[in-house]
């Protein structure tokens, strides 16, 4: 990996040396987690409780901030977007437990209520990670249909999907904050849209010149491109806004590690989803309590989806948390089940 990055640096020479070393440290740490995942173990229940405590603290802080007039409360996070991703991912995990676990009706309703409360707090951030939440919830529904194909289940899912889409549509249409951000057109005047489109332009430029390996770590924003969005940002004296991270982790990975790496990562995510579904199918006859496993998997998966859409910084804690949990939870669950058999 280091050798490939060295060759890319010598070939393109876009990135400053300090950005290359920084990228090697942070990406290297993520790769270390991936390759050492089989040696990692943790208590799923404690992870679940820690995440819920974090949600309680965040929601409490946000409510206080809202009372004192903050337009987009963020709790203890640096930005409302980060708080939104955290809370929407928790809500998605709780809804996933309600849909995919073998819990009683009462316990499932409790998860739905708790997820709705946390999701309502997430709405206060006005974060576009409402899109992340929608995507993950839709995937939850697809998994549910694939493991429970009864007419009752399909009818329930259909009703739920219709109600949810109606509510989501109302929220977006009723709030201009969302409307201006989903209009991804080149002549948009919304700053965040322009920054996202400029990141897309960077990714397309890198794909044309180096589709397999990209330009190398730290190269994002260090090369010139023809971009209408860039010109509009410069007109507003915002030419360097998120230029060095491309606004989206998906775009940044295409630029720095190549489109082939992105495809490989998406393939790995798909394999993990298939393994997740396989565990749920096998558990239909064994009835293990998988609520913590389901929550942690969906929570971490949602974080990764949100990061790929619009959170591009390698060094953020949520990047490490998401990769750590997503790559290890299946192994940890298998160890827990093996221990139950050994003790029985």
């Amino acid at each position: 990996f280091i050798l490939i990055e060295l060759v890319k640096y010598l070939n393109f020479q876009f990135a400053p040396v300090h950005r290359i070393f920084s990228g090697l440290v942070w990406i290297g740490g993520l790769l270390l987690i991936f390759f050492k995942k089989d040696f990692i173990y943790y208590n799923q229940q404690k992870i679940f409780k820690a995440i819920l405590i974090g949600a309680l603290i965040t929601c409490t802080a946000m409510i206080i901030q809202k009372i004192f007039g903050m337009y987009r409360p963020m709790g203890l996070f640096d930005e409302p977007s980060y708080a939104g991703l955290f809370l929407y991912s928790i809500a998605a995990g709780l809804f996933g437990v309600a849909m995919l676990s073998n819990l009683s009706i009462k316990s499932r309703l409790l998860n739905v209520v708790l997820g709705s409360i946390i999701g309502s707090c997430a709405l206060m951030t006005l974060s576009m990670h409402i899109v992340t939440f929608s995507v993950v919830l839709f995937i939850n529904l697809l998994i549910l249909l694939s493991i429970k194909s009864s007419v009752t289940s399909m009818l329930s899912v259909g009703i739920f999907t219709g109600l949810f889409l109606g509510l989501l549509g109302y929220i977006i249409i009723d709030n201009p904050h969302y409307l201006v951000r989903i209009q991804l057109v080149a002549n948009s005047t919304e700053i965040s849209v322009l920054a996202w489109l400029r990141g897309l332009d960077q990714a397309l430029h890198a794909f044309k010149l180096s589709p397999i390996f990209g330009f190398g770590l730290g190269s994002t924003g260090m090369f010139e491109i023809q971009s209408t969005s860039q010109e509009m940002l410069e007109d507003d004296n915002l030419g360097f806004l998120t230029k060095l991270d491309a606004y989206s982790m998906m775009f940044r990975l295409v630029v720095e590690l190549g489109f082939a790496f992105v495809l490989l990562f998406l393939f790995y995510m798909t394999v993990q989803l298939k393994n997740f579904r396989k565990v749920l199918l096998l558990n239909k006859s064994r009835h293990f309590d998988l609520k913590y496993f389901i929550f942690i998997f969906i929570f971490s998966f949602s974080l990764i989806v949100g990061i790929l859409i619009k959170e591009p910084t390698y060094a953020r804690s949520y990047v490490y948390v998401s990769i750590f949990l997503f790559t290890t939870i299946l192994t940890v669950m298998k160890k827990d089940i093996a221990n139950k058999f050994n003790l029985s």
Side-chain angles (χ1 to χ4, degrees), residues 107 127 207 211 239 258 330:
S107 296
S127 169
F207 177 75
L330 281 162

Side-chain angles (χ1 to χ4, degrees), residues 44-81:
Q44 296 182 50
Q45 184 178 17
K46 289 183 178 179
I47 295 291
F48 175 77
K49 289 181 178 179
I51 293 171
L52 285 191
I53 291 172
L56 175 63
I57 294 172
T58 301
C59 288
T60 301
M62 286 173 58
I63 291 171
I64 294 173
Q65 291 169 346
K66 195 69 175 179
I67 291 174
F68 282 91
M70 183 177 288
Y71 177 58
R72 296 181 64 191
M74 63 188 78
L76 303 180
F77 287 86
D78 293 338
E79 294 183 16
S81 180

Side-chain angles (χ1 to χ4, degrees), residues 99-103 108 143-150 153 276-290 293-294 337:
M99 288 188 286
L100 302 173
S101 70
N102 293 323
L103 296 176
R108 292 187 183 192
I143 294 174
L144 176 62
L145 285 175
S146 70
I147 63 176
K148 297 181 179 180
S149 56
S150 66
S153 297
F276 176 67
R277 175 182 174 274
K278 183 178 179 181
V279 170
L280 297 179
L281 281 172
L282 292 174
N283 196 53
K284 290 176 68 175
S285 59
R286 297 180 180 178
H287 302 293
F288 287 114
D289 183 2
L290 298 182
F293 162 71
I294 293 172
I337 291 178

Side-chain angles (χ1 to χ4, degrees), residues 172-280:
I172 292 176
I173 293 173
D174 188 58
N175 195 323
H177 178 88
Y178 294 118
L179 277 177
V180 297
R181 284 164 173 77
I182 61 175
Q183 297 172 354
L184 296 178
V185 292
N187 60 353
S188 173
T189 57
E190 172 58 38
I191 299 302
S192 59
V193 175
L194 291 174
W196 192 90
L197 289 171
R198 193 257 311 277
L200 175 61
D201 291 337
Q202 290 189 66
L204 292 174
H205 180 77
F207 177 75
K208 291 178 182 177
L209 297 182
S210 181
I212 304 299
F213 296 111
F215 289 154
L217 290 170
S219 60
T220 303
M222 306 305 296
F223 50 89
E224 296 299 322
I225 59 172
Q226 293 293 324
S227 171
T228 303
S229 300
Q230 173 69 24
E231 294 172 0
M232 295 179 70
L233 287 169
E234 289 176 349
D235 290 341
D236 292 330
N237 295 318
L238 295 171
F240 283 96
L241 179 68
T242 71
K243 183 179 181 180
L244 299 182
D245 59 29
Y247 199 85
S248 158
M249 185 65 80
M250 177 80 77
F251 299 156
R252 186 171 185 177
L253 290 176
V254 171
V255 171
E256 299 190 4
L257 297 180
F259 186 65
F261 178 87
V262 173
L263 288 180
L264 185 63
F265 183 69
L266 293 176
F267 175 75
Y268 173 73
M269 291 181 66
T270 303
V271 170
Q272 287 291 87
L273 279 172
K274 288 183 177 179
N275 289 334
F276 176 67
R277 175 182 174 274
K278 183 178 179 181
V279 170
L280 297 179

